[in-house]
Short mmCIF file of all heavy atoms in Angstrom, two decimals:
data_model
loop_
_atom_site.label_atom_id
_atom_site.label_comp_id
_atom_site.label_asym_id
_atom_site.label_seq_id
_atom_site.Cartn_x
_atom_site.Cartn_y
_atom_site.Cartn_z
N SER A 1309 22.56 -12.06 10.81
CA SER A 1309 23.53 -12.84 11.46
C SER A 1309 24.86 -12.78 10.65
O SER A 1309 24.85 -12.32 9.47
CB SER A 1309 23.20 -14.27 11.73
OG SER A 1309 23.27 -15.00 10.49
N CYS A 1310 25.89 -13.34 11.22
CA CYS A 1310 27.20 -13.43 10.50
C CYS A 1310 27.14 -14.38 9.33
O CYS A 1310 28.11 -14.46 8.55
CB CYS A 1310 28.35 -13.82 11.47
SG CYS A 1310 28.05 -15.36 12.27
N GLN A 1337 17.93 -22.85 16.22
CA GLN A 1337 19.30 -23.30 16.11
C GLN A 1337 19.67 -24.26 17.24
O GLN A 1337 20.75 -24.89 17.27
CB GLN A 1337 20.29 -22.10 16.10
CG GLN A 1337 20.50 -21.33 17.39
CD GLN A 1337 19.35 -20.34 17.70
OE1 GLN A 1337 18.29 -20.40 17.16
NE2 GLN A 1337 19.64 -19.41 18.60
N LYS A 1338 18.83 -24.42 18.31
CA LYS A 1338 19.08 -25.34 19.38
C LYS A 1338 18.12 -26.58 19.28
O LYS A 1338 18.10 -27.38 20.23
CB LYS A 1338 18.89 -24.66 20.74
CG LYS A 1338 19.63 -23.32 20.92
CD LYS A 1338 21.12 -23.46 20.91
CE LYS A 1338 21.80 -22.13 21.24
NZ LYS A 1338 23.12 -21.89 20.67
N GLY A 1349 25.02 -25.34 17.51
CA GLY A 1349 23.77 -24.61 17.57
C GLY A 1349 24.00 -23.15 17.11
O GLY A 1349 23.40 -22.20 17.60
N LYS A 1350 24.79 -23.08 16.05
CA LYS A 1350 25.05 -21.68 15.44
C LYS A 1350 24.87 -21.69 13.97
O LYS A 1350 25.06 -22.74 13.27
CB LYS A 1350 26.44 -21.28 15.72
CG LYS A 1350 26.92 -21.29 17.24
CD LYS A 1350 26.76 -20.00 17.86
CE LYS A 1350 27.17 -20.08 19.32
NZ LYS A 1350 26.72 -19.00 20.11
N VAL A 1351 24.53 -20.50 13.39
CA VAL A 1351 24.73 -20.33 11.96
C VAL A 1351 26.02 -19.50 11.81
O VAL A 1351 26.45 -18.81 12.69
CB VAL A 1351 23.52 -19.51 11.40
CG1 VAL A 1351 22.28 -20.39 11.39
CG2 VAL A 1351 23.31 -18.14 12.11
N PRO A 1352 26.67 -19.51 10.64
CA PRO A 1352 26.25 -20.25 9.47
C PRO A 1352 26.78 -21.70 9.48
O PRO A 1352 27.69 -22.07 10.18
CB PRO A 1352 26.99 -19.47 8.33
CG PRO A 1352 28.31 -19.07 9.02
CD PRO A 1352 27.86 -18.71 10.44
N GLU A 1363 31.67 -22.72 11.13
CA GLU A 1363 32.73 -21.78 11.47
C GLU A 1363 33.07 -20.92 10.17
O GLU A 1363 33.54 -21.49 9.16
CB GLU A 1363 33.99 -22.37 11.92
CG GLU A 1363 33.80 -23.01 13.32
CD GLU A 1363 33.34 -22.02 14.39
OE1 GLU A 1363 33.81 -20.86 14.35
OE2 GLU A 1363 32.63 -22.46 15.32
N ASN A 1364 32.84 -19.65 10.26
CA ASN A 1364 33.12 -18.76 9.13
C ASN A 1364 34.53 -18.83 8.62
O ASN A 1364 34.69 -18.78 7.43
CB ASN A 1364 32.82 -17.29 9.59
CG ASN A 1364 31.42 -16.93 9.12
OD1 ASN A 1364 31.08 -17.06 8.01
ND2 ASN A 1364 30.69 -16.27 10.03
N SER A 1401 36.44 -13.26 13.22
CA SER A 1401 35.60 -14.19 13.90
C SER A 1401 35.83 -14.35 15.35
O SER A 1401 34.93 -14.42 16.18
CB SER A 1401 35.91 -15.57 13.24
OG SER A 1401 35.37 -16.68 13.97
N HIS A 1405 33.98 -10.38 16.42
CA HIS A 1405 32.60 -10.86 16.58
C HIS A 1405 32.15 -10.95 18.08
O HIS A 1405 31.04 -10.56 18.39
CB HIS A 1405 32.49 -12.21 15.95
CG HIS A 1405 31.10 -12.77 15.87
ND1 HIS A 1405 30.73 -13.74 14.98
CD2 HIS A 1405 30.05 -12.47 16.58
CE1 HIS A 1405 29.43 -14.02 15.15
NE2 HIS A 1405 28.99 -13.30 16.15
N LYS A 1416 22.75 -12.29 26.06
CA LYS A 1416 23.43 -13.61 26.09
C LYS A 1416 24.41 -13.80 27.15
O LYS A 1416 24.93 -14.83 27.49
CB LYS A 1416 24.13 -13.83 24.75
CG LYS A 1416 23.19 -14.20 23.61
CD LYS A 1416 23.97 -14.74 22.43
CE LYS A 1416 23.03 -15.23 21.38
NZ LYS A 1416 22.27 -16.43 21.77
N TYR A 1464 33.20 -9.11 5.78
CA TYR A 1464 33.08 -9.35 7.25
C TYR A 1464 32.90 -7.99 7.99
O TYR A 1464 32.04 -7.84 8.85
CB TYR A 1464 34.32 -10.05 7.69
CG TYR A 1464 34.06 -11.23 8.64
CD1 TYR A 1464 34.81 -12.37 8.52
CD2 TYR A 1464 33.08 -11.22 9.66
CE1 TYR A 1464 34.69 -13.42 9.32
CE2 TYR A 1464 32.85 -12.23 10.42
CZ TYR A 1464 33.66 -13.40 10.31
OH TYR A 1464 33.43 -14.49 11.17
N TRP A 1467 29.40 -6.60 7.62
CA TRP A 1467 28.37 -7.15 8.55
C TRP A 1467 28.57 -6.64 10.00
O TRP A 1467 27.61 -6.22 10.61
CB TRP A 1467 28.48 -8.71 8.58
CG TRP A 1467 27.70 -9.21 9.72
CD1 TRP A 1467 26.29 -9.24 9.77
CD2 TRP A 1467 28.14 -9.75 10.97
NE1 TRP A 1467 25.89 -9.78 11.08
CE2 TRP A 1467 26.96 -10.09 11.76
CE3 TRP A 1467 29.40 -10.00 11.50
CZ2 TRP A 1467 27.10 -10.59 13.08
CZ3 TRP A 1467 29.50 -10.48 12.83
CH2 TRP A 1467 28.33 -10.81 13.58
N1 GSH B 2231 32.53 -18.84 15.53
C1 GSH B 2231 31.29 -18.86 14.78
C2 GSH B 2231 30.23 -17.96 15.38
C3 GSH B 2231 28.90 -18.22 14.81
C4 GSH B 2231 27.82 -17.40 15.65
O1 GSH B 2231 28.09 -16.89 16.75
N2 GSH B 2231 26.68 -17.27 15.04
C5 GSH B 2231 25.51 -16.56 15.67
C6 GSH B 2231 24.86 -15.65 14.77
S1 GSH B 2231 25.94 -14.28 14.28
C7 GSH B 2231 24.54 -17.60 16.20
O2 GSH B 2231 24.30 -18.57 15.47
N3 GSH B 2231 23.90 -17.28 17.32
C8 GSH B 2231 22.84 -18.12 17.84
C9 GSH B 2231 23.03 -18.62 19.22
O3 GSH B 2231 24.16 -18.33 19.74
O4 GSH B 2231 22.17 -19.17 19.76
C10 GSH B 2231 31.54 -18.45 13.31
O5 GSH B 2231 32.44 -17.57 13.12
O6 GSH B 2231 30.92 -19.02 12.38
#
Side-chain angles (χ1 to χ4, degrees):
S1309 78
C1310 59
Q1337 74 277 20
K1338 309 294 186 210
K1350 306 267 183 194
V1351 291
E1363 296 299 326
N1364 262 310
S1401 168
H1405 187 161
K1416 284 196 173 290
Y1464 226 140
W1467 170 71

